[in-house]
Amino acid sequence: MPSALITGITGQDGLYLAEHLVAKGYDVHGVIRGQNNPRRELVERLVPEVRLHNGDLTDLSSLMRALRDAEPDEVYNLGAVSFVAYSWENAFVTSDVTAFGVLNILEAVRLHAGDDPAAVRFYQASSSEMFGKVQEVPQSEGTLLWPRSPYGVAKAYGHHMTINYRESYGMHASSGILFNHESPRRGPEFVTRKISQAVARISLGLADELVLGNLDARRDWGFAGDYVDAMWRMLQQPEPGDYVVATGRTHSIRDFLDVAFGCVGIADWEPYVRQDPAFMRPAEVDELVGDAGRAREVLGWTPTISFEELVSMMVLADIEAVKAGW
Ligand code: NAP
Ligand code: G4F
């Protein structure tokens, strides 16, 4: 039975990836941080097969212990401070976890693997946020990185360090440059879930306003369940590499609002939406759209869920959640 260790197991992607690997027959382990993590119960309920190990990306020895106890064939580094807006207010913490945390886990894997550095395959959760002020459209693996946030800068560090460990030590270290991916498990701080939750409440008469920032930003949004499959496929390749994972379609926040409100029969959402500068960013990533040609050709990966299906899935799930009192 192959085994895998996931950092960031309590997050959106960690949960989908754990389910994906369990379904494939893996022995799945997760790193969980904090003395009383409120999301531990969620992991235990959704993926009871997972064995949890205490650890933190800022603590090298805790990662070494998790590797010793789990003895994984594959390590997926999904842990991060992942909210871009937060990264300006907490740039140091973001750098500590999202940048230096990658160095810690790479070093832990290298030391753990000993004489055979490629024995433990490694996945790094890189991000389209690294493209920032985009230098070409669409963005692919070779596009120059120009990050626009402390988060993007931290991810660029982790991305290059992953490549460096691959080239320096011969590690089987791959980096997935994933564009935005969403689901009913998305954190409520991200714009898609903020919208789906608000639309659900508005449709049920429990709210009458949604306050947002920039409505003109464009993102390439896919379904998280599809994207974790791409992560797994990367680690099954004989050679490590970097892959853009994206749908190749871009939509604005306004487009998202059109479909989300449309799901509950509201054609004109303007009366419900107010813009507040508090949700604007010091520097914005205006337009992201990915070219996932390499992932399609080498990994045989394609997205299965359309933008419209994704939005509707999220709104309907939040309506059910509100009705159930969650
Ligand atoms: P998420 O839901 O925000 O999950 C982040 C995870 O990181 C959580 O499990 C969190 O654990 C963990 N974490 C935070 N600080 C940590 C620390 N010091 N040590 C260990 N773990 C820590 O993020 P996601 O959407 O699942 O994304 C997964 C990864 O992909 C992240 O690295 C993100 O930056 C990257 N990414 C995401 C997207 C996207 O669109 N979703 C796109 C590109 C890249 P707690 O529960 O303890 O806070
Ligand atoms: O949903 P967001 O917060 O996601 P963002 O910044 O694109 O980051 C996500 O995707 C990255 C991949 O590119 C990941 F690496 C990262 O970890 C995270 O998962 O914001 C999307 C857009 C932005 O342009 C933002 O300015 O929505 C705009 N927006 C407008 N009003 C808002 C709001 N974003 C949030 N969170 N809240 C608003 O009220």
Side-chain angles (χ1 to χ4, degrees), residues 210-270:
L210 167 58
V211 185
L212 295 172
N214 179 8
L215 304 185
D216 296 313
R218 302 183 71 85
R219 291 290 184 276
D220 179 332
W221 279 297
F223 171 53
D226 285 341
Y227 285 43
V228 299
D229 178 50
M231 299 176 190
W232 173 77
R233 287 173 186 249
M234 285 176 219
L235 296 206
Q236 310 319 305
Q237 299 308 306
E239 298 299 326
D242 305 322
Y243 296 89
V244 160
V245 179
T247 70
R249 294 178 66 204
T250 184
H251 294 92
S252 67
I253 312 295
R254 291 179 194 279
D255 296 334
F256 198 104
L257 289 164
D258 283 343
V259 180
F261 276 96
C263 286
V264 298
I266 298 174
D268 179 13
W269 46 260
E270 302 253 354

Short mmCIF file of all heavy atoms in Angstrom, two decimals, residues 210-270:
data_model
loop_
_atom_site.label_atom_id
_atom_site.label_comp_id
_atom_site.label_asym_id
_atom_site.label_seq_id
_atom_site.Cartn_x
_atom_site.Cartn_y
_atom_site.Cartn_z
N LEU A 210 -24.48 42.39 0.18
CA LEU A 210 -23.19 41.72 0.02
C LEU A 210 -22.16 42.81 -0.25
O LEU A 210 -22.30 43.55 -1.23
CB LEU A 210 -23.27 40.73 -1.15
CG LEU A 210 -21.97 40.15 -1.70
CD1 LEU A 210 -21.20 39.41 -0.62
CD2 LEU A 210 -22.30 39.19 -2.86
N VAL A 211 -21.15 42.93 0.61
CA VAL A 211 -20.16 44.00 0.48
C VAL A 211 -18.86 43.42 -0.07
O VAL A 211 -18.27 42.51 0.54
CB VAL A 211 -19.90 44.69 1.84
CG1 VAL A 211 -18.96 45.89 1.65
CG2 VAL A 211 -21.21 45.14 2.47
N LEU A 212 -18.42 43.94 -1.23
CA LEU A 212 -17.24 43.41 -1.91
C LEU A 212 -16.27 44.52 -2.26
O LEU A 212 -16.58 45.71 -2.11
CB LEU A 212 -17.68 42.70 -3.20
CG LEU A 212 -18.53 41.44 -3.05
CD1 LEU A 212 -19.03 40.97 -4.41
CD2 LEU A 212 -17.74 40.32 -2.37
N GLY A 213 -15.10 44.11 -2.77
CA GLY A 213 -14.10 45.06 -3.25
C GLY A 213 -14.16 45.20 -4.76
O GLY A 213 -15.19 45.55 -5.33
N ASN A 214 -13.04 44.88 -5.42
CA ASN A 214 -12.90 45.05 -6.86
C ASN A 214 -13.75 44.02 -7.63
O ASN A 214 -13.51 42.82 -7.52
CB ASN A 214 -11.41 44.88 -7.21
CG ASN A 214 -11.12 45.00 -8.67
OD1 ASN A 214 -11.98 45.35 -9.47
ND2 ASN A 214 -9.88 44.69 -9.03
N LEU A 215 -14.71 44.50 -8.41
CA LEU A 215 -15.58 43.58 -9.14
C LEU A 215 -15.04 43.28 -10.54
O LEU A 215 -15.61 42.45 -11.26
CB LEU A 215 -16.99 44.18 -9.28
CG LEU A 215 -17.70 44.56 -7.97
CD1 LEU A 215 -19.14 45.00 -8.27
CD2 LEU A 215 -17.70 43.39 -6.99
N ASP A 216 -13.97 43.95 -10.94
CA ASP A 216 -13.48 43.80 -12.31
C ASP A 216 -12.31 42.84 -12.44
O ASP A 216 -11.88 42.54 -13.56
CB ASP A 216 -13.09 45.17 -12.87
CG ASP A 216 -14.32 46.07 -12.96
OD1 ASP A 216 -15.35 45.59 -13.46
OD2 ASP A 216 -14.26 47.22 -12.49
N ALA A 217 -11.76 42.39 -11.30
CA ALA A 217 -10.67 41.42 -11.36
C ALA A 217 -11.17 40.16 -12.05
O ALA A 217 -12.35 39.80 -11.93
CB ALA A 217 -10.17 41.10 -9.95
N ARG A 218 -10.26 39.50 -12.75
CA ARG A 218 -10.63 38.28 -13.48
C ARG A 218 -9.78 37.11 -13.00
O ARG A 218 -8.58 37.25 -12.78
CB ARG A 218 -10.42 38.49 -14.99
CG ARG A 218 -11.21 39.66 -15.55
CD ARG A 218 -11.02 39.76 -17.06
NE ARG A 218 -11.70 38.69 -17.77
CZ ARG A 218 -12.96 38.72 -18.13
NH1 ARG A 218 -13.72 39.77 -17.86
NH2 ARG A 218 -13.50 37.70 -18.77
N ARG A 219 -10.43 35.96 -12.85
CA ARG A 219 -9.73 34.76 -12.42
C ARG A 219 -10.13 33.58 -13.30
O ARG A 219 -11.20 33.56 -13.88
CB ARG A 219 -10.09 34.42 -10.95
CG ARG A 219 -9.54 35.40 -9.91
CD ARG A 219 -8.03 35.29 -9.78
NE ARG A 219 -7.49 36.14 -8.73
CZ ARG A 219 -7.19 37.43 -8.88
NH1 ARG A 219 -7.40 38.04 -10.05
NH2 ARG A 219 -6.69 38.13 -7.87
N ASP A 220 -9.22 32.60 -13.32
CA ASP A 220 -9.46 31.34 -14.02
C ASP A 220 -9.85 30.35 -12.92
O ASP A 220 -9.00 29.83 -12.22
CB ASP A 220 -8.14 30.95 -14.72
CG ASP A 220 -8.22 29.64 -15.48
OD1 ASP A 220 -9.03 28.78 -15.09
OD2 ASP A 220 -7.45 29.48 -16.44
N TRP A 221 -11.18 30.17 -12.76
CA TRP A 221 -11.69 29.38 -11.64
C TRP A 221 -12.04 27.95 -12.04
O TRP A 221 -12.85 27.75 -12.96
CB TRP A 221 -12.97 30.02 -11.08
CG TRP A 221 -12.80 31.17 -10.15
CD1 TRP A 221 -12.19 31.19 -8.94
CD2 TRP A 221 -13.29 32.52 -10.36
NE1 TRP A 221 -12.27 32.45 -8.36
CE2 TRP A 221 -12.94 33.27 -9.21
CE3 TRP A 221 -14.02 33.14 -11.37
CZ2 TRP A 221 -13.28 34.62 -9.07
CZ3 TRP A 221 -14.35 34.48 -11.23
CH2 TRP A 221 -13.97 35.20 -10.10
N GLY A 222 -11.49 26.98 -11.33
CA GLY A 222 -11.85 25.59 -11.55
C GLY A 222 -12.34 24.95 -10.26
O GLY A 222 -12.44 25.60 -9.21
N PHE A 223 -12.63 23.66 -10.35
CA PHE A 223 -13.16 22.90 -9.20
C PHE A 223 -12.02 22.19 -8.47
O PHE A 223 -11.26 21.45 -9.08
CB PHE A 223 -14.21 21.89 -9.68
CG PHE A 223 -14.67 20.93 -8.61
CD1 PHE A 223 -15.15 21.39 -7.38
CD2 PHE A 223 -14.62 19.56 -8.83
CE1 PHE A 223 -15.55 20.50 -6.39
CE2 PHE A 223 -15.04 18.66 -7.84
CZ PHE A 223 -15.50 19.14 -6.62
N ALA A 224 -11.95 22.39 -7.16
CA ALA A 224 -10.83 21.84 -6.37
C ALA A 224 -10.71 20.32 -6.50
O ALA A 224 -9.60 19.79 -6.52
CB ALA A 224 -11.00 22.24 -4.90
N GLY A 225 -11.83 19.63 -6.60
CA GLY A 225 -11.79 18.17 -6.72
C GLY A 225 -11.01 17.73 -7.95
O GLY A 225 -10.30 16.71 -7.93
N ASP A 226 -11.13 18.49 -9.05
CA ASP A 226 -10.36 18.18 -10.26
C ASP A 226 -8.87 18.45 -10.04
O ASP A 226 -8.01 17.73 -10.55
CB ASP A 226 -10.81 19.09 -11.42
CG ASP A 226 -12.15 18.66 -12.00
OD1 ASP A 226 -12.54 17.50 -11.79
OD2 ASP A 226 -12.77 19.49 -12.69
N TYR A 227 -8.55 19.50 -9.28
CA TYR A 227 -7.16 19.95 -9.18
C TYR A 227 -6.30 19.03 -8.32
O TYR A 227 -5.10 18.89 -8.56
CB TYR A 227 -7.13 21.42 -8.70
CG TYR A 227 -7.55 22.39 -9.81
CD1 TYR A 227 -8.63 22.12 -10.64
CD2 TYR A 227 -6.86 23.57 -10.03
CE1 TYR A 227 -9.00 22.98 -11.66
CE2 TYR A 227 -7.23 24.45 -11.06
CZ TYR A 227 -8.31 24.14 -11.86
OH TYR A 227 -8.69 25.00 -12.88
N VAL A 228 -6.92 18.38 -7.32
CA VAL A 228 -6.11 17.46 -6.51
C VAL A 228 -5.71 16.23 -7.32
O VAL A 228 -4.66 15.62 -7.07
CB VAL A 228 -6.80 17.06 -5.17
CG1 VAL A 228 -7.05 18.28 -4.30
CG2 VAL A 228 -8.08 16.27 -5.40
N ASP A 229 -6.52 15.88 -8.30
CA ASP A 229 -6.16 14.76 -9.17
C ASP A 229 -4.90 15.11 -9.98
O ASP A 229 -4.03 14.26 -10.18
CB ASP A 229 -7.34 14.44 -10.10
CG ASP A 229 -7.02 13.33 -11.07
OD1 ASP A 229 -6.53 12.27 -10.62
OD2 ASP A 229 -7.22 13.52 -12.29
N ALA A 230 -4.79 16.38 -10.39
CA ALA A 230 -3.58 16.81 -11.12
C ALA A 230 -2.35 16.70 -10.22
O ALA A 230 -1.27 16.29 -10.68
CB ALA A 230 -3.76 18.23 -11.63
N MET A 231 -2.50 17.04 -8.94
CA MET A 231 -1.36 16.91 -8.00
C MET A 231 -0.87 15.47 -7.98
O MET A 231 0.33 15.20 -8.07
CB MET A 231 -1.79 17.30 -6.57
CG MET A 231 -2.28 18.71 -6.39
SD MET A 231 -2.85 18.91 -4.67
CE MET A 231 -3.63 20.51 -4.77
N TRP A 232 -1.82 14.55 -7.81
CA TRP A 232 -1.46 13.13 -7.72
C TRP A 232 -0.78 12.67 -9.02
O TRP A 232 0.24 11.97 -8.99
CB TRP A 232 -2.72 12.29 -7.44
CG TRP A 232 -2.45 10.82 -7.49
CD1 TRP A 232 -1.84 10.07 -6.53
CD2 TRP A 232 -2.73 9.94 -8.59
NE1 TRP A 232 -1.73 8.76 -6.95
CE2 TRP A 232 -2.27 8.66 -8.21
CE3 TRP A 232 -3.33 10.10 -9.84
CZ2 TRP A 232 -2.39 7.54 -9.04
CZ3 TRP A 232 -3.45 9.00 -10.67
CH2 TRP A 232 -2.97 7.73 -10.27
N ARG A 233 -1.34 13.08 -10.15
CA ARG A 233 -0.76 12.66 -11.44
C ARG A 233 0.69 13.13 -11.58
O ARG A 233 1.52 12.43 -12.16
CB ARG A 233 -1.61 13.21 -12.60
CG ARG A 233 -2.93 12.47 -12.75
CD ARG A 233 -3.82 13.13 -13.80
NE ARG A 233 -5.13 12.51 -13.84
CZ ARG A 233 -5.58 11.77 -14.86
NH1 ARG A 233 -4.86 11.61 -15.94
NH2 ARG A 233 -6.78 11.23 -14.81
N MET A 234 0.99 14.32 -11.06
CA MET A 234 2.38 14.82 -11.16
C MET A 234 3.36 13.87 -10.48
O MET A 234 4.46 13.62 -10.98
CB MET A 234 2.50 16.21 -10.52
CG MET A 234 1.91 17.31 -11.37
SD MET A 234 1.98 18.89 -10.50
CE MET A 234 0.40 19.57 -11.00
N LEU A 235 2.95 13.35 -9.32
CA LEU A 235 3.88 12.49 -8.57
C LEU A 235 3.94 11.06 -9.13
O LEU A 235 4.78 10.28 -8.69
CB LEU A 235 3.51 12.48 -7.09
CG LEU A 235 3.65 13.82 -6.35
CD1 LEU A 235 3.88 13.60 -4.86
CD2 LEU A 235 4.75 14.71 -6.92
N GLN A 236 3.09 10.74 -10.10
CA GLN A 236 3.17 9.40 -10.72
C GLN A 236 4.08 9.40 -11.94
O GLN A 236 4.35 8.35 -12.53
CB GLN A 236 1.76 8.90 -11.13
CG GLN A 236 0.70 9.00 -10.04
CD GLN A 236 1.21 8.60 -8.66
OE1 GLN A 236 1.74 7.50 -8.48
NE2 GLN A 236 1.08 9.50 -7.68
N GLN A 237 4.59 10.58 -12.33
CA GLN A 237 5.46 10.66 -13.51
C GLN A 237 6.86 10.13 -13.18
O GLN A 237 7.35 10.33 -12.06
CB GLN A 237 5.59 12.12 -13.99
CG GLN A 237 4.27 12.76 -14.39
CD GLN A 237 3.51 11.91 -15.38
OE1 GLN A 237 4.04 11.54 -16.43
NE2 GLN A 237 2.26 11.60 -15.05
N PRO A 238 7.52 9.51 -14.15
CA PRO A 238 8.89 9.05 -13.88
C PRO A 238 9.83 10.21 -13.55
O PRO A 238 10.73 10.05 -12.73
CB PRO A 238 9.30 8.35 -15.18
CG PRO A 238 8.23 8.62 -16.18
CD PRO A 238 7.03 9.11 -15.47
N GLU A 239 9.60 11.36 -14.18
CA GLU A 239 10.45 12.53 -13.93
C GLU A 239 9.64 13.63 -13.26
O GLU A 239 8.47 13.84 -13.60
CB GLU A 239 11.01 13.08 -15.25
CG GLU A 239 11.89 12.11 -16.02
CD GLU A 239 13.13 11.71 -15.22
OE1 GLU A 239 13.64 12.55 -14.45
OE2 GLU A 239 13.56 10.54 -15.36
N PRO A 240 10.25 14.36 -12.32
CA PRO A 240 9.54 15.49 -11.70
C PRO A 240 9.46 16.67 -12.67
O PRO A 240 10.21 16.73 -13.65
CB PRO A 240 10.43 15.84 -10.51
CG PRO A 240 11.80 15.41 -10.93
CD PRO A 240 11.62 14.21 -11.82
N GLY A 241 8.58 17.62 -12.38
CA GLY A 241 8.47 18.78 -13.27
C GLY A 241 7.49 19.80 -12.72
O GLY A 241 6.94 19.64 -11.63
N ASP A 242 7.29 20.86 -13.50
CA ASP A 242 6.37 21.93 -13.12
C ASP A 242 5.21 21.95 -14.10
O ASP A 242 5.42 21.82 -15.31
CB ASP A 242 7.10 23.29 -13.15
CG ASP A 242 8.35 23.27 -12.29
OD1 ASP A 242 8.31 22.64 -11.22
OD2 ASP A 242 9.37 23.85 -12.72
N TYR A 243 4.02 22.16 -13.56
CA TYR A 243 2.82 22.10 -14.39
C TYR A 243 1.84 23.20 -14.01
O TYR A 243 1.49 23.33 -12.82
CB TYR A 243 2.10 20.77 -14.22
CG TYR A 243 2.90 19.57 -14.68
CD1 TYR A 243 3.75 18.91 -13.79
CD2 TYR A 243 2.79 19.10 -15.98
CE1 TYR A 243 4.49 17.81 -14.19
CE2 TYR A 243 3.52 17.99 -16.39
CZ TYR A 243 4.37 17.35 -15.50
OH TYR A 243 5.09 16.27 -15.90
N VAL A 244 1.36 23.92 -15.01
CA VAL A 244 0.22 24.82 -14.81
C VAL A 244 -1.05 23.98 -14.82
O VAL A 244 -1.22 23.10 -15.67
CB VAL A 244 0.17 25.89 -15.94
CG1 VAL A 244 -1.22 26.51 -16.06
CG2 VAL A 244 1.21 26.97 -15.69
N VAL A 245 -1.93 24.27 -13.85
CA VAL A 245 -3.23 23.58 -13.80
C VAL A 245 -4.30 24.67 -13.80
O VAL A 245 -4.36 25.50 -12.88
CB VAL A 245 -3.33 22.68 -12.54
CG1 VAL A 245 -4.69 22.00 -12.48
CG2 VAL A 245 -2.22 21.65 -12.54
N ALA A 246 -5.12 24.67 -14.83
CA ALA A 246 -6.08 25.76 -15.04
C ALA A 246 -7.15 25.29 -16.01
O ALA A 246 -7.00 24.25 -16.66
CB ALA A 246 -5.34 26.96 -15.64
N THR A 247 -8.23 26.08 -16.12
CA THR A 247 -9.29 25.72 -17.08
C THR A 247 -9.06 26.37 -18.44
O THR A 247 -9.62 25.94 -19.43
CB THR A 247 -10.68 26.17 -16.59
OG1 THR A 247 -10.75 27.61 -16.65
CG2 THR A 247 -10.96 25.69 -15.17
N GLY A 248 -8.28 27.49 -18.46
CA GLY A 248 -8.09 28.23 -19.70
C GLY A 248 -9.22 29.21 -19.98
O GLY A 248 -9.25 29.86 -21.03
N ARG A 249 -10.14 29.35 -19.02
CA ARG A 249 -11.24 30.33 -19.19
C ARG A 249 -11.17 31.32 -18.04
O ARG A 249 -10.93 30.93 -16.89
CB ARG A 249 -12.60 29.62 -19.18
CG ARG A 249 -12.81 28.71 -20.37
CD ARG A 249 -14.15 28.00 -20.27
NE ARG A 249 -15.27 28.94 -20.36
CZ ARG A 249 -16.49 28.70 -19.86
NH1 ARG A 249 -16.73 27.59 -19.21
NH2 ARG A 249 -17.45 29.59 -20.00
N THR A 250 -11.37 32.57 -18.34
CA THR A 250 -11.32 33.59 -17.29
C THR A 250 -12.66 34.31 -17.17
O THR A 250 -13.35 34.51 -18.17
CB THR A 250 -10.17 34.59 -17.55
OG1 THR A 250 -10.09 35.51 -16.47
CG2 THR A 250 -10.34 35.34 -18.84
N HIS A 251 -13.00 34.66 -15.93
CA HIS A 251 -14.27 35.36 -15.66
C HIS A 251 -14.02 36.44 -14.62
O HIS A 251 -13.15 36.30 -13.76
CB HIS A 251 -15.32 34.39 -15.11
CG HIS A 251 -15.75 33.35 -16.08
ND1 HIS A 251 -15.15 32.11 -16.15
CD2 HIS A 251 -16.71 33.36 -17.05
CE1 HIS A 251 -15.71 31.40 -17.11
NE2 HIS A 251 -16.67 32.13 -17.68
N SER A 252 -14.85 37.48 -14.68
CA SER A 252 -14.74 38.54 -13.69
C SER A 252 -15.59 38.20 -12.47
O SER A 252 -16.44 37.29 -12.51
CB SER A 252 -15.21 39.87 -14.28
OG SER A 252 -16.60 39.79 -14.55
N ILE A 253 -15.40 39.00 -11.41
CA ILE A 253 -16.26 38.84 -10.22
C ILE A 253 -17.71 39.11 -10.63
O ILE A 253 -18.64 38.46 -10.15
CB ILE A 253 -15.84 39.82 -9.09
CG1 ILE A 253 -14.33 39.80 -8.85
CG2 ILE A 253 -16.61 39.54 -7.81
CD1 ILE A 253 -13.73 38.55 -8.34
N ARG A 254 -17.89 40.07 -11.54
CA ARG A 254 -19.25 40.37 -12.03
C ARG A 254 -19.89 39.14 -12.67
O ARG A 254 -21.07 38.86 -12.48
CB ARG A 254 -19.21 41.52 -13.05
CG ARG A 254 -18.86 42.86 -12.44
CD ARG A 254 -18.81 43.96 -13.52
NE ARG A 254 -18.17 45.14 -12.97
CZ ARG A 254 -18.78 46.03 -12.20
NH1 ARG A 254 -20.05 45.89 -11.91
NH2 ARG A 254 -18.12 47.07 -11.72
N ASP A 255 -19.09 38.41 -13.48
CA ASP A 255 -19.61 37.18 -14.11
C ASP A 255 -20.04 36.18 -13.03
O ASP A 255 -21.07 35.51 -13.16
CB ASP A 255 -18.53 36.50 -14.98
CG ASP A 255 -18.10 37.36 -16.15
OD1 ASP A 255 -18.88 38.21 -16.60
OD2 ASP A 255 -16.94 37.18 -16.61
N PHE A 256 -19.21 36.09 -11.98
CA PHE A 256 -19.53 35.16 -10.89
C PHE A 256 -20.86 35.56 -10.23
O PHE A 256 -21.72 34.71 -9.94
CB PHE A 256 -18.38 35.14 -9.87
CG PHE A 256 -18.40 33.92 -8.97
CD1 PHE A 256 -17.50 32.88 -9.18
CD2 PHE A 256 -19.30 33.81 -7.93
CE1 PHE A 256 -17.51 31.75 -8.37
CE2 PHE A 256 -19.31 32.69 -7.11
CZ PHE A 256 -18.41 31.66 -7.34
N LEU A 257 -21.02 36.88 -10.04
CA LEU A 257 -22.26 37.37 -9.43
C LEU A 257 -23.46 37.06 -10.32
O LEU A 257 -24.53 36.66 -9.84
CB LEU A 257 -22.15 38.88 -9.17
CG LEU A 257 -21.20 39.27 -8.03
CD1 LEU A 257 -20.86 40.76 -8.11
CD2 LEU A 257 -21.82 38.95 -6.67
N ASP A 258 -23.28 37.24 -11.65
CA ASP A 258 -24.38 36.96 -12.59
C ASP A 258 -24.88 35.52 -12.40
O ASP A 258 -26.08 35.27 -12.29
CB ASP A 258 -23.90 37.09 -14.05
CG ASP A 258 -23.77 38.54 -14.50
OD1 ASP A 258 -24.35 39.43 -13.83
OD2 ASP A 258 -23.09 38.78 -15.52
N VAL A 259 -23.94 34.58 -12.40
CA VAL A 259 -24.34 33.16 -12.34
C VAL A 259 -24.87 32.82 -10.94
O VAL A 259 -25.89 32.13 -10.81
CB VAL A 259 -23.15 32.24 -12.71
CG1 VAL A 259 -23.57 30.78 -12.65
CG2 VAL A 259 -22.62 32.57 -14.10
N ALA A 260 -24.21 33.34 -9.90
CA ALA A 260 -24.62 32.99 -8.53
C ALA A 260 -26.03 33.51 -8.23
O ALA A 260 -26.89 32.76 -7.74
CB ALA A 260 -23.61 33.56 -7.53
N PHE A 261 -26.27 34.79 -8.54
CA PHE A 261 -27.62 35.32 -8.28
C PHE A 261 -28.62 34.68 -9.23
O PHE A 261 -29.79 34.45 -8.87
CB PHE A 261 -27.62 36.84 -8.41
CG PHE A 261 -27.19 37.55 -7.15
CD1 PHE A 261 -25.88 37.97 -6.98
CD2 PHE A 261 -28.10 37.79 -6.12
CE1 PHE A 261 -25.48 38.62 -5.82
CE2 PHE A 261 -27.70 38.45 -4.95
CZ PHE A 261 -26.38 38.86 -4.80
N GLY A 262 -28.17 34.37 -10.46
CA GLY A 262 -29.06 33.71 -11.42
C GLY A 262 -29.57 32.38 -10.90
O GLY A 262 -30.70 31.98 -11.17
N CYS A 263 -28.74 31.68 -10.13
CA CYS A 263 -29.12 30.37 -9.57
C CYS A 263 -30.35 30.48 -8.67
O CYS A 263 -31.08 29.51 -8.48
CB CYS A 263 -28.01 29.80 -8.71
SG CYS A 263 -26.63 29.18 -9.61
N VAL A 264 -30.56 31.65 -8.06
CA VAL A 264 -31.70 31.80 -7.14
C VAL A 264 -32.76 32.72 -7.74
O VAL A 264 -33.60 33.28 -7.04
CB VAL A 264 -31.25 32.31 -5.74
CG1 VAL A 264 -30.31 31.31 -5.10
CG2 VAL A 264 -30.59 33.68 -5.82
N GLY A 265 -32.68 32.89 -9.08
CA GLY A 265 -33.73 33.63 -9.79
C GLY A 265 -33.63 35.14 -9.68
O GLY A 265 -34.61 35.85 -9.93
N ILE A 266 -32.47 35.67 -9.32
CA ILE A 266 -32.30 37.13 -9.24
C ILE A 266 -31.45 37.57 -10.43
O ILE A 266 -30.26 37.26 -10.51
CB ILE A 266 -31.62 37.55 -7.90
CG1 ILE A 266 -32.51 37.15 -6.72
CG2 ILE A 266 -31.35 39.07 -7.90
CD1 ILE A 266 -31.87 37.40 -5.35
N ALA A 267 -32.08 38.26 -11.38
CA ALA A 267 -31.38 38.66 -12.60
C ALA A 267 -30.55 39.92 -12.38
O ALA A 267 -29.46 40.06 -12.95
CB ALA A 267 -32.39 38.88 -13.73
N ASP A 268 -31.05 40.85 -11.57
CA ASP A 268 -30.34 42.11 -11.33
C ASP A 268 -29.80 42.10 -9.90
O ASP A 268 -30.55 42.33 -8.93
CB ASP A 268 -31.30 43.28 -11.54
CG ASP A 268 -30.61 44.62 -11.27
OD1 ASP A 268 -29.36 44.65 -11.16
OD2 ASP A 268 -31.33 45.64 -11.15
N TRP A 269 -28.48 41.87 -9.75
CA TRP A 269 -27.91 41.79 -8.40
C TRP A 269 -27.43 43.13 -7.87
O TRP A 269 -27.09 43.26 -6.69
CB TRP A 269 -26.74 40.79 -8.36
CG TRP A 269 -25.73 40.91 -9.48
CD1 TRP A 269 -25.67 40.13 -10.59
CD2 TRP A 269 -24.65 41.85 -9.59
NE1 TRP A 269 -24.62 40.52 -11.39
CE2 TRP A 269 -23.97 41.57 -10.80
CE3 TRP A 269 -24.17 42.89 -8.79
CZ2 TRP A 269 -22.86 42.31 -11.23
CZ3 TRP A 269 -23.07 43.62 -9.22
CH2 TRP A 269 -22.43 43.33 -10.43
N GLU A 270 -27.43 44.17 -8.73
CA GLU A 270 -26.88 45.47 -8.32
C GLU A 270 -27.49 46.00 -7.01
O GLU A 270 -26.76 46.51 -6.16
CB GLU A 270 -27.05 46.50 -9.44
CG GLU A 270 -26.39 46.09 -10.75
CD GLU A 270 -25.12 46.90 -11.07
OE1 GLU A 270 -24.83 47.83 -10.32
OE2 GLU A 270 -24.45 46.53 -12.05
#
